Amino acid sequence: MLTKEKGIAVSEGIGIAKVYKLTEPDLSFDDVPAENVANELQRLDDALQKATQELDQMKATAENNLDKEELAIFDAHRMMLSDPEFQSQMTDEITNQKVVAERAVSDVTSQFEATFAAMTDNPYMQERANDVKDIARHLLSWLEGKPLPNIDEINEPSVVVAKELSPSDLSHLNKKMVRGIVTEKGGKTSHVAIMARNLEIPTILGMASITDDTSSRQNIIVDAFGNKVILDPDSNTRQLYQQQSTNYLESKASWREAKGLPAVSKDGTTFSVNANIGNVDDSKLAATQGADGVGLFRSEFLYMGSDHLPTEDEQFEAYRSVLKTMDGKPVTVRTLDIGGDKSLSYFDLPTEANPFLGDRAIRISLQHPEIFRTQLRALIRASAYGPLAIMFPMISTLDELQRAKKVFYECRDQLRKEYADPHLGDDVKLGLMIEIPSAALNADKLAQEADFFSIGTNDLLQYLFAADRGNESVSYLYQPFNPVFLQLVKTIIEGAHRHGTKVAMCGEMAGERLALPLLMGMGLDELSMTATSVPRVKSMVRKYKVADCRKLVKDVLTKYSRDSEVQKYVDGWLK
Ligand code: PEP
Ligand code: MG
């Protein structure tokens, strides 16, 4: 038995089965000059046609399994294949340089791939590099008559192990037979990660050397809770995991059944359990998971997915779509939060020694009123289509909040004149993220100026403990259960409630199992998290009494001084 740790778990669950290795055929080719140019052009043309037919076939097979967003990947590939620029670059190379079709495909796709991969400040466009790589594989496989590994073949319970998977691989896998996925490459925001979560297949990406360490049909357990895989498990281990998996599947089924019901504690307090989203399609998942609303729409993803500053109309359409999808449930949109680790390819940010402490979020919006106004105008217009809240990220002082609100009111007045509607934007709620210690300690004053707070624990922890959230070597300082932090959260909630201001939490802590009873006990009003966690959290809320949770908070804060102690105590309490 061998345990391998440290991948990136992107879709939770336990998978127990035999390894199905997806190994690539050797697609290298003889790099010889073309003997017959016309022949090479014909071979290229045939390969393009075959690859296009293959894509259509794959899309048709996938149609039952996937939603629109995922099916759109096939259209993107198809568009690329039929792109005149792409095709003519290849035919030009064959004609002018008298190379074989394989060489032309390889050169031109590599150029396109490199261009996309270099767009490091635009993760969406960067991800397109993988699409081009996928297209190259398919074209070369047709040119060389070597079929690609076919995930379709899987007809017994299997864990797919591969160096890397493409979205098209996932689109036609047999969901019933694939019990898990482990790859060496891939990140949290890759299409593959999104698709695995949607397919609810336990998945770990970024597990180094997994293809070398496994062989086909070897027994394997994927633990996408513990973020590890176990090879050749002994029967005890297997049994333990089997039990954990059965429990999880049973729980999941029962969470689902009740996902549409409100999250009401045993003693009658209702909590809103909302979803965090990054685009319009995410809101569809939020709706199907029974989210009570959208608690955080990270609007910067709209900007990052575009090659220009999105216009007022483009933003309006996006916000309106989300509001319509949520069908009367509240939607909270955070204004642009770039800077730190997020940038825009078409917008120059100054080079700074400490970007997380520099120009970021509301600071940028206030320095660029034209960008800020465009966004606020789009939001105010969209508010006619459903209950909308706007929140400002990275507020440090009362002044910043007041300045941001002033811009909002100016935009609203202007729009009311333009649209001859004196009530436009009447119901928009205004709030702020509490993610900077100075704001947290000033909750009492800020609350008098805001309809709501949303606690951004990812940043609040980073700034409180002075530990870069992206730096592995200080990740031990991510301590949401440290009583110092819990006390701060409590202070924020109490400060806000003194003025009738609601408090939400939208950082990762909101979806953590151990955090829930503490947050319920502190009087938090709303939680917002990854959409697929919503049914679980809703069902957990129903199990506890707020009165008991209050006592838990008191105990924890008086008895302990360490993150680990609190985790252990709460874990025991939950059991
Ligand atoms: C946070 O900081 O907790 C948060 C929700 O915002 P982001 O992770 O987008 O910075
Ligand atoms: Mg933040």
Side-chain angles (χ1 to χ4, degrees):
M1 185 163 99
L2 174 74
T3 302
K4 278 182 62 73
E5 307 205 19
K6 290 220 176 99
I8 308 164
V10 297
S11 175
E12 65 182 21
I14 305 283
I16 307 173
K18 289 192 187 310
V19 168
Y20 180 96
K21 263 218 242 189
L22 274 185
T23 35
E24 283 283 304
D26 179 5
L27 292 175
S28 58
F29 51 89
D30 283 342
D31 211 354
V32 289
E35 281 174 14
N36 179 336
V37 166
N39 194 21
E40 292 307 317
L41 289 172
Q42 186 59 50
R43 287 182 67 231
L44 175 66
D45 197 43
D46 289 349
L48 283 165
Q49 277 190 36
K50 292 257 175 52
T52 308
Q53 283 163 9
E54 189 186 16
L55 270 177
D56 289 345
Q57 181 73 45
M58 276 159 53
K59 185 176 173 189
T61 318
E63 227 132 38
N64 295 332
N65 271 343
L66 302 179
D67 67 20
K68 256 188 170 164
E69 179 203 6
E70 292 153 345
L71 289 170
I73 294 162
F74 295 103
D75 298 329
H77 283 201
R78 209 177 187 288
M79 247 166 70
M80 178 99 210
L81 274 174
S82 57
D83 179 50
E85 176 64 24
F86 178 63
Q87 292 195 358
S88 69
Q89 281 194 28
M90 291 189 287
T91 49
D92 285 355
E93 185 170 335
I94 296 175
T95 316
N96 301 333
Q97 297 177 34
K98 311 221 171 352
V99 294
V100 287
E102 284 90 336
R103 167 58 41 221
V105 167
S106 171
D107 286 348
V108 173
T109 52
S110 299
Q111 279 160 25
F112 273 78
E113 193 190 325
T115 309
F116 286 128
M119 298 180 172
T120 47
D121 43 8
N122 187 337
Y124 178 82
M125 293 307 285
Q126 209 180 12
E127 202 59 55
R128 304 284 70 75
N130 285 332
D131 295 345
V132 181
K133 222 172 22 192
D134 206 22
I135 285 169
R137 278 171 69 237
H138 282 269
L139 287 175
L140 289 172
S141 95
W142 281 111
L143 283 168
E144 295 183 41
K146 293 180 191 162
L148 293 173
N150 191 352
I151 223 166
D152 271 350
E153 281 177 1
I154 299 176
N155 54 14
E156 60 173 0
S158 305
V159 167
V160 175
V161 171
K163 280 215 178 329
E164 188 172 13
L165 288 178
S166 67
S168 61
D169 288 329
L170 259 76
S171 65
H172 52 120
L173 56 70
N174 184 342
K175 196 186 158 195
K176 286 207 182 83
M177 292 301 169
V178 176
R179 300 286 156 86
I181 293 172
V182 190
T183 69
E184 292 180 13
K185 292 189 179 165
K188 257 203 161 134
T189 57
S190 63
H191 265 130
V192 169
I194 297 169
M195 289 169 83
R197 273 197 289 279
N198 287 352
L199 290 164
E200 299 185 278
I201 298 175
T203 298
I204 301 182
L205 306 181
M207 177 73 76
S209 71
I210 189 70
T211 53
D212 287 341
D213 297 344
T214 50
S215 49
S216 280
R217 306 193 59 77
Q218 185 175 15
N219 287 318
I220 185 171
I221 296 176
V222 181
D223 175 357
F225 293 115
N227 208 358
K228 58 186 173 208
V229 301
I230 296 122
L231 303 174
D232 298 323
D234 57 34
S235 63
N236 247 353
T237 310
R238 205 184 159 92
Q239 249 178 5
L240 279 173
Y241 273 106
Q242 193 67 60
Q243 192 54 50
Q244 198 183 337
S245 171
T246 310
N247 294 348
Y248 177 62
L249 294 177
E250 280 173 13
S251 309
K252 225 156 105 172
S254 71
W255 301 334
R256 287 256 164 83
E257 264 172 37
K259 70 182 183 191
L261 300 175
V264 185
S265 72
K266 263 198 161 157
D267 48 358
T269 304
T270 303
F271 294 84
S272 292
V273 182
N274 299 328
N276 292 349
I277 67 166
N279 57 44
V280 176
D281 284 313
D282 288 353
S283 62
K284 293 176 195 150
L285 184 64
T288 58
Q289 295 293 324
D292 295 321
V294 167
L296 167 64
F297 180 174
R298 290 183 162 100
S299 70
E300 57 275 12
F301 285 100
L302 270 186
Y303 291 69
M304 288 157 74
S306 168
D307 58 6
H308 57 272
L309 279 168
T311 62
E312 181 181 318
D313 281 347
E314 285 168 341
Q315 292 192 56
F316 164 72
E317 287 300 337
Y319 304 139
R320 184 174 63 168
S321 284
V322 171
L323 283 161
K324 282 187 156 176
T325 304
M326 293 314 290
D327 196 20
K329 292 178 174 169
V331 172
T332 301
V333 180
R334 173 173 78 185
T335 61
L336 183 61
D337 181 2
I338 48 161
D341 57 349
K342 293 180 236 162
S343 55
L344 303 176
S345 54
Y346 46 84
F347 181 75
D348 274 341
L349 287 169
T351 309
E352 296 174 307
N354 293 299
F356 272 108
L357 301 179
D359 267 336
R360 204 193 141 186
I362 195 68
R363 301 170 185 182
I364 292 182
S365 295
L366 291 173
Q367 280 167 36
H368 297 272
E370 66 297 346
I371 296 177
F372 196 28
R373 280 176 196 282
T374 303
Q375 180 165 37
L376 291 172
R377 283 176 58 93
L379 283 164
I380 295 164
R381 282 172 56 198
S383 72
Y385 296 86
L388 179 77
I390 299 175
M391 68 178 166
F392 306 115
M394 289 271 297
I395 294 282
S396 318
T397 66
L398 189 60
D399 244 18
E400 280 175 338
L401 176 62
Q402 285 170 335
R403 284 173 62 200
K405 282 174 66 183
K406 187 163 171 273
V407 183
F408 168 85
Y409 288 121
E410 285 165 6
C411 290
R412 199 177 68 172
D413 288 347
Q414 180 67 32
L415 280 166
R416 285 179 172 177
K417 282 187 208 132
E418 285 173 31
Y419 286 83
D421 176 357
H423 296 293
L424 185 58
D426 254 356
D427 299 326
V428 176
K429 299 223 173 350
L430 289 184
L432 65 147
M433 301 270 302
I434 300 284
E435 48 188 349
I436 295 186
S438 63
L441 295 168
N442 201 18
D444 193 86
K445 300 242 171 60
L446 290 166
Q448 297 173 47
E449 292 274 340
D451 295 319
F452 67 97
F453 286 169
S454 188
I455 306 176
T457 52
N458 309 338
D459 276 313
L460 188 54
L461 280 156
Q462 130 162 299
Y463 294 125
L464 189 68
F465 288 89
D468 183 344
R469 60 194 264 191
N471 183 340
E472 261 304 297
S473 70
V474 292
S475 61
Y476 74 96
L477 288 168
Y478 176 80
Q479 298 196 358
F481 298 97
N482 189 310
V484 169
F485 186 70
L486 295 175
Q487 186 56 59
L488 188 62
V489 171
K490 194 162 169 276
T491 306
I492 298 167
I493 297 171
E494 286 167 358
H497 283 178
R498 270 197 285 281
H499 304 283
T501 299
K502 288 211 164 184
V503 187
M505 178 178 283
C506 62
E508 292 308 303
M509 184 182 185
E512 288 195 32
R513 187 178 70 93
L514 297 180
L516 184 68
L518 295 169
L519 300 173
M520 287 172 70
M522 291 181 196
L524 192 79
D525 303 290
E526 301 187 4
L527 301 124
S528 194
M529 62 203 64
T530 311
T532 44
S533 298
V534 166
R536 170 176 58 79
V537 171
K538 276 188 151 184
S539 94
M540 268 184 87
V541 168
R542 297 187 194 108
K543 281 194 189 156
Y544 307 112
K545 287 187 180 163
V546 169
D548 295 339
C549 294
R550 273 199 205 113
K551 184 164 177 314
L552 172 73
V553 173
K554 209 167 160 206
D555 281 355
V556 156
L557 291 180
T558 46
K559 282 188 190 155
Y560 301 113
S561 39
R562 289 189 179 83
D563 182 276
S564 54
E565 292 167 343
V566 174
Q567 288 200 40
K568 198 164 158 218
Y569 186 75
V570 178
D571 199 28
W573 188 90
L574 285 173
K575 281 171 187 156

